[in-house]
Amino acid sequence: MAASAALTLAACAQPVKPIQAWAPATAAQASIGSVTVTSRAGNIPDENLQALKSALELKTSQCATGPTRYEMQVRVDNFKLANSGMVMLLGDNHEVAGEVKLVNPADNSVASEYYVQEITSGGGLIGLAKLSGGARAISTDFATSVCEKVFFKK
């Protein structure tokens, strides 16, 4: 019973793992000139990648407002949406995971690089309600993690 309750209410963002971190002072000076989202896995629908791109463009326009423009290159390794039947029976989750690179367009050098994994889980009726936003909701959660952990903004 306790496991069921925990599964029903569970939602977690896995840590953003720095591959090549930048200093908070550098992040404070950054803004995003363009966002490119590609898939390493061949089975991710284009509309899911577009939802992620749109969420990143919107969120970073709010959290990355410095004078130095970077290109954001996102390579998605996993984009999984929960199965509503599984949510009701056992619980399931949405997940987006991928590499986020910030590239200086002047010389194509990588300024910073992170691995971001966002997971939202749920079960039962509450889980169905929580996971009802689909690709748009998990993409927004991913973009929020990027703002919080890469650009140090809440």
Side-chain angles (χ1 to χ4, degrees):
M1 186 65 137
S4 175
L7 185 58
T8 300
L9 299 175
C12 63
Q14 298 298 318
V16 174
K17 299 174 184 101
I19 297 169
Q20 180 182 335
W22 59 6
T26 305
Q29 294 298 310
S31 64
I32 301 302
S34 67
V35 176
T36 305
V37 178
T38 59
S39 170
R40 198 164 85 157
N43 61 345
I44 301 172
D46 287 340
E47 60 267 13
N48 291 1
L49 297 175
Q50 185 57 48
L52 182 58
K53 182 179 191 284
S54 296
L56 285 165
E57 288 170 342
L58 178 65
K59 286 290 187 179
T60 58
S61 72
Q62 299 166 355
C63 73
T65 57
T68 307
R69 292 181 101 44
Y70 292 91
E71 294 175 358
M72 179 178 284
Q73 299 173 356
V74 180
R75 188 200 68 216
V76 178
D77 293 328
N78 188 24
F79 198 118
K80 174 196 170 294
L81 296 179
N83 176 297
S84 58
M86 288 297 294
V87 171
M88 283 303 296
L89 292 173
L90 302 170
D92 203 357
N93 62 294
H94 294 325
E95 178 181 357
V96 177
E99 182 182 77
V100 176
K101 283 186 188 178
L102 296 152
V103 177
N104 183 337
D107 60 5
N108 271 346
S109 63
V110 176
S112 71
E113 186 175 358
Y114 294 82
Y115 196 83
V116 180
Q117 182 180 27
E118 185 67 36
I119 299 173
T120 303
S121 302
L125 290 174
I126 293 171
L128 274 179
K130 186 168 69 170
L131 297 171
S132 66
R136 188 177 66 248
I138 191 66
S139 294
T140 299
D141 292 347
F142 184 95
T144 299
S145 287
V146 168
C147 281
E148 291 176 357
K149 306 299 184 187
V150 176
F151 295 101
F152 308 102
K153 303 272 179 83
K154 292 211 179 230

